[in-house]
Amino acid sequence: MRKRIWLLITALSLSFLLSQCFLTQDRTTVVYGTITDQNGEPVDSILVTIKGVDGFKYERLKEVYSVEDGSYELVVDVPRKYGSANVVVPFGSYDNPKYERNYQGKKTSKNDQLTNNCCKASIGDKTKYDFQLIPK
């Protein structure tokens, strides 16, 4: 009887430890891509942000500006309190003056496929978002 109880306790302990290992998900999220104009030329100095989403609350987790060749990359460890993360090219003279001054919108590609479904980042994964800016 003692041996059965010991085996049961050991099995439960092992099961618990293994489940904890599988619950520990790597939440390092990478979003990268390029920003170009209507002619496919790179555009620098455009702000791109990643926001954590918790219900209806959005919190800016990280932001970067595109560089001379139009590329950008965001690497962030998304906290567990966020169920998802969104990538945003903010429109506004304070956050993104070059974008507001010269452009009226953008076309978006996710992993090289044109999409209207913008812009959810896969938590714990790598996602490519390219933005083609539409001039005013």
Side-chain angles (χ1 to χ4, degrees), residues 45-98:
S45 306
I46 300 296
L47 182 67
V48 182
T49 67
I50 187 166
K51 295 182 177 188
V53 182
D54 179 20
F56 292 103
K57 292 186 209 173
Y58 293 79
E59 182 181 338
R60 195 175 284 194
L61 301 175
K62 190 167 187 179
E63 58 189 27
V64 296
Y65 284 92
S66 59
V67 294
E68 195 172 291
D69 67 355
S71 68
Y72 72 92
E73 182 177 65
L74 295 152
V75 179
V76 64
D77 188 21
V78 178
R80 291 207 172 281
K81 70 179 185 176
Y82 300 113
S84 61
N86 289 344
V87 181
V88 179
V89 176
F91 192 83
S93 60
Y94 176 75
D95 279 339
N96 226 347
K98 185 174 184 176

Side-chain angles (χ1 to χ4, degrees), residues 4 11 13 15 22 28 34 36 40 49 55 59-60 62 64 75 77 84-85 92-94 100 103 111 120 127 131:
R4 280 186 172 179
S13 298
S15 175
F22 292 115
T28 303
T34 57
T36 58
T49 67
E59 182 181 338
R60 195 175 284 194
K62 190 167 187 179
V64 296
V75 179
D77 188 21
S84 61
S93 60
Y94 176 75
E100 183 174 305
Y103 303 99
N111 297 325
K120 194 171 207 154
T127 308
F131 300 101

Side-chain angles (χ1 to χ4, degrees), residues 100-123:
E100 183 174 305
R101 185 175 54 249
N102 300 312
Y103 303 99
Q104 64 178 342
K106 62 192 175 317
K107 292 180 184 175
T108 305
S109 295
K110 178 180 181 181
N111 297 325
D112 298 320
Q113 297 293 316
L114 198 59
T115 183
N116 291 328
N117 232 356
C118 192
C119 292
K120 194 171 207 154
S122 301
I123 294 178

